[in-house]
Amino acid sequence: MGGFGIFLFVALGVGLWMASMSYDKKRIEEYVRERSGRIVSIGWAPFGKGWFGEQNDRIYEVVYYDSQGHQHWATCKTSMFSGVYWTEDRVTHSKANWFDDLPERNQPGDPIIRHISGAASAEGGGEGTSNSRAPLVAEQGPVDEEITRLKRRISQLEQQR
């Protein structure tokens, strides 16, 4: 029974930890959404800015768009009782031309990147994107050709065995 008790204790601890992280992410997303922003990603950062000496709050690295369409990279702290507060928040990109064409909310099964790459290729990358997305979309043809060429080569090598 001792081994089962330890297993149960560890499983309960991991479950509570995962639940608290889930609630943290919802709290951060709600905070940004209340200010008409949109979350791109939230990642746990155990050694993020402000971690030293921190006992109760968990730290997250967040990428989000604000209500004006500017992209932010930020670090925030949160816990169930402390709310959300930012230890660092900087604008990394100004508003791109394609921003206004995005759907109003993130939808399950419909990632925002689908909308960004389509709009960026149609507009030549858009302002503030440094044209980084348009060439990736345009190169899909050569990539597919290379995959086909490599598959043929693999097939030839297998036949030679």
Side-chain angles (χ1 to χ4, degrees), residues 19-46:
S20 68
M21 288 186 69
S22 176
Y23 288 125
D24 288 348
K25 289 179 179 185
K26 287 178 184 176
R27 191 176 309 109
I28 295 166
E29 186 172 358
E30 204 172 282
Y31 182 92
V32 171
R33 200 174 332 142
E34 284 174 357
R35 288 152 183 80
S36 301
R38 165 183 244 139
I39 292 290
V40 174
S41 68
I42 302 172
W44 179 48

